[in-house]
Amino acid sequence: MEDLIHLEEMFHEYGRLDGIEQGQKSGLLEGKVLGLEKGFDFAKEMGYYIAFSEHWISIVEQNRVAYPERTLKQLNNLLDLCLTFHTENNLNIDPLKLMNNVRGKFKAACSLLKVHYSYSDTQALNF
Amino acid sequence: MSDIWEDEDSDYERKMADREWNRLQDQHGVIGYTEGVEEAKEQHLQVGFDDGYSIGASIGLQVGRMQFKLESLLAELKSKQEDKSTEQETKRLQELYTKLKNLKYDQIFTKEWFKNGHENPAELECIVNEYNNLTKNKLFNP
């Protein structure tokens, strides 16, 4: 009987070791694919707003009188907020909250500039 | 005669022992395997995610910047009088812009990219080359 229990444990352990090897591979791959998707989607939208801010800051700085006074401040705030984004995954930052703040500031800046830009037709971002 | 029976007995016992061995292996090996997969997968998902996230984010930033600059450039071109000489170029700009706007991660990080050990994605290189060709002669600073 003891032999039988020993065998059961041995098979269990062999199976577990095989499983660990496979689990490591599939965990890394599955996580990586998900990370690629989320990192790409999030940063692509953020890159768009960064380029928008830089572009318009340069234009407004050259002709301040043509735009409402707070335009430059709004654009700089937007850029500063965008630059809090890092390409490393930071668990202390809520990406959805950050993106919603950025989108709000972007819309406000567009309104002050009286321009229309659209990052996406759907703007769906899920985490 | 008795030898024949003894042979049959031992053959029977061996077969039964093999069956029992396989049954134990199937039953307990599979349970252990499943446990091992779950345990290790959970531990490595976050590591894989963080790794993928930083690669995806670095490239995403680059693509997003290009997308805005093309949109801005197109708006600039549309506000000017277009002539026949720029029509074709504007069309190519529009096509690249639409491509970037709709670009998904799996169009960059393809099966080949995974196979080739994560070198610079070929699709991204094509996009960057096309972008540089289309924007290099513009007054607009890309």
Side-chain angles (χ1 to χ4, degrees):
Chain A
M1 191 65 181
E2 261 182 43
D3 284 352
L4 199 63
I5 291 171
H6 173 70
L7 268 181
E8 286 176 358
E9 281 172 1
M10 186 187 79
F11 284 131
H12 188 278
E13 189 54 20
Y14 281 154
R16 204 179 75 88
L17 291 175
D18 281 351
I20 283 175
E21 202 178 314
Q22 185 55 41
Q24 282 178 353
K25 283 184 199 159
S26 60
L28 284 174
L29 182 64
E30 217 173 284
K32 188 165 198 156
V33 171
L34 191 65
L36 284 169
E37 180 183 11
K38 299 303 173 196
F40 180 79
D41 286 351
F42 191 75
K44 182 171 172 266
E45 187 166 352
M46 205 55 96
Y48 179 90
Y49 299 133
I50 290 172
F52 164 85
S53 321
E54 289 171 347
H55 177 76
W56 280 102
I57 285 171
S58 150
I59 290 175
V60 174
E61 275 179 344
Q62 286 169 41
N63 192 5
R64 287 186 188 216
V65 288
Y67 300 94
E69 215 178 300
R70 58 199 173 96
T71 311
L72 196 58
K73 196 180 170 196
Q74 182 70 31
L75 286 166
N76 277 314
N77 284 344
L78 171 62
L79 182 60
D80 288 346
L81 191 60
C82 289
L83 294 178
T84 62
F85 167 73
H86 295 289
T87 54
E88 301 301 319
N89 184 33
N90 186 344
L91 297 175
N92 297 321
I93 290 178
D94 178 349
L96 279 179
K97 198 174 164 192
L98 174 61
M99 188 57 87
N100 283 335
N101 279 341
V102 167
R103 283 176 183 161
K105 288 197 189 303
F106 167 71
K107 278 184 190 162
C110 283
S111 165
L112 283 169
L113 291 164
K114 294 189 172 62
V115 290
H116 177 75
Y117 286 95
S118 144
Y119 167 71
S120 145
D121 299 327
T122 50
Q123 275 197 348
L125 185 77
N126 300 307
F127 270 81
Chain B
M1 197 65 172
S2 63
D3 284 341
I4 293 168
W5 284 113
E6 270 176 27
D7 283 352
E8 282 188 1
D9 278 352
S10 63
D11 195 32
Y12 174 81
E13 276 165 15
R14 197 167 50 246
K15 279 185 179 159
M16 289 309 282
D18 284 350
R19 277 175 64 95
E20 185 60 8
W21 180 273
N22 290 337
R23 190 190 66 78
L24 285 172
Q25 192 169 20
D26 284 351
Q27 195 179 337
H28 296 280
V30 168
I31 292 170
Y33 181 83
T34 311
E35 280 177 15
V37 168
E38 280 172 14
E39 180 189 323
K41 200 171 164 181
E42 205 177 302
Q43 284 170 1
H44 288 79
L45 266 174
Q46 188 65 49
V47 178
F49 183 88
D50 291 348
D51 184 28
Y53 188 90
S54 63
I55 298 170
S58 302
I59 289 174
L61 270 180
Q62 204 180 340
V63 173
R65 278 177 173 272
M66 287 192 285
Q67 182 184 324
F68 171 78
K69 286 169 181 179
L70 288 174
E71 185 178 351
S72 183
L73 183 54
L74 278 166
E76 221 173 286
L77 287 173
K78 278 175 189 165
S79 69
K80 290 176 187 164
Q81 283 287 334
E82 271 194 73
D83 56 40
K84 286 280 174 195
S85 66
T86 59
E87 203 176 273
Q88 190 58 31
E89 218 179 336
T90 307
K91 196 181 162 211
R92 281 173 65 200
L93 276 171
Q94 180 65 53
E95 280 169 3
L96 184 61
Y97 165 68
T98 308
K99 184 176 186 174
L100 293 190
K101 192 172 182 175
N102 299 317
L103 196 68
K104 298 284 169 234
Y105 82 103
D106 54 356
Q107 292 169 276
I108 296 274
F109 307 108
T110 57
K111 203 170 154 187
E112 282 68 36
W113 179 79
F114 275 95
K115 261 199 234 165
N116 297 337
H118 307 168
E119 287 173 0
N120 275 347
E123 180 62 19
L124 181 72
E125 276 184 33
C126 291
I127 289 171
V128 171
N129 287 340
E130 175 77 346
Y131 174 83
N132 288 338
N133 283 336
L134 287 170
T135 54
K136 69 181 172 190
N137 295 325
K138 305 290 173 203
L139 285 173
F140 173 87
N141 180 19

